[in-house]
Amino acid sequence: MRLYCNSYTTSILSYMTRYLAIICLLLMMSLEAEAQSKFSGGLFLSPFSSYAGEPLDIEASSRYSTGALLGMALHYNLSPNWSLSSGILYESARVRYGLNGVCEDSYIVRKNNATVPLLINFRSTSKKVSPYLSAGMLVSTNKNERASIRAILGAGLSYQVDSRWSIVAQPAFTLGANSKTDGVLFPKNRQLSIQTQLLYRFSGKSDQ
């Protein structure tokens, strides 16, 4: 028997709206700042697949999930090579519980979170195409759970389209569960993803 469950999508969307409003406010404030050119912003998309492995509770089933993170990212450029980034992402996952996710009595649950990435990024060269590294954490929450924290490490490429636009693509590895409950049962949850970002660097007064 298959069980489908929605985890308060409306509530998560309200979280997203609130954080997106904060990000938009910060972007508008930056339009009047001298150092405005230090900010970049844009779209973030990251499809993922994760496997939780053996649970600590022997009565709990293992699980396998697929899904995606989608939202807005904001970067603060410390230098031509280093940047800090955050944003607000909607995380949706289709989780299959059961023995390796394939036994006959396995069941499926839909899970949704509001997720905030907190990352430090390194672009190694000023060339049009450059290696791009990221490290930090993902903070996730939903209506029924306290915030959980996962470690994340990514390595890929950054393509500078022109002086304003850039594209980032990088495989990433995440360790940790995306909820407090799952963190107790599946502390070694492993997730692989492909992060893609389309970024626009805002112009400053000094650029005009």
Side-chain angles (χ1 to χ4, degrees), residues 89-110:
L89 309 174
Y90 174 67
E91 180 178 7
S92 180
R94 185 174 182 269
V95 186
R96 182 185 293 272
Y97 289 84
L99 180 60
N100 295 325
V102 297
C103 66
E104 293 182 0
D105 60 347
S106 64
Y107 60 96
I108 295 172
V109 173
R110 176 72 68 177

Side-chain angles (χ1 to χ4, degrees), residues 40-120:
S40 301
L43 298 176
F44 183 103
L45 172 64
S46 178
F48 65 78
S49 176
S50 68
Y51 178 63
E54 294 297 326
L56 295 184
D57 186 344
I58 59 175
E59 296 184 358
S61 57
S62 60
R63 60 172 214 170
Y64 172 79
S65 66
T66 56
L69 292 114
L70 175 65
M72 302 293 293
L74 180 65
H75 289 239
Y76 179 74
N77 302 295
L78 300 171
S79 72
N81 301 103
W82 292 93
S83 68
L84 301 175
S85 63
S86 186
I88 178 63
L89 309 174
Y90 174 67
E91 180 178 7
S92 180
R94 185 174 182 269
V95 186
R96 182 185 293 272
Y97 289 84
L99 180 60
N100 295 325
V102 297
C103 66
E104 293 182 0
D105 60 347
S106 64
Y107 60 96
I108 295 172
V109 173
R110 176 72 68 177
K111 289 195 172 185
N112 303 293
N113 287 319
T115 297
V116 176
L118 300 171
L119 304 172
I120 184 168

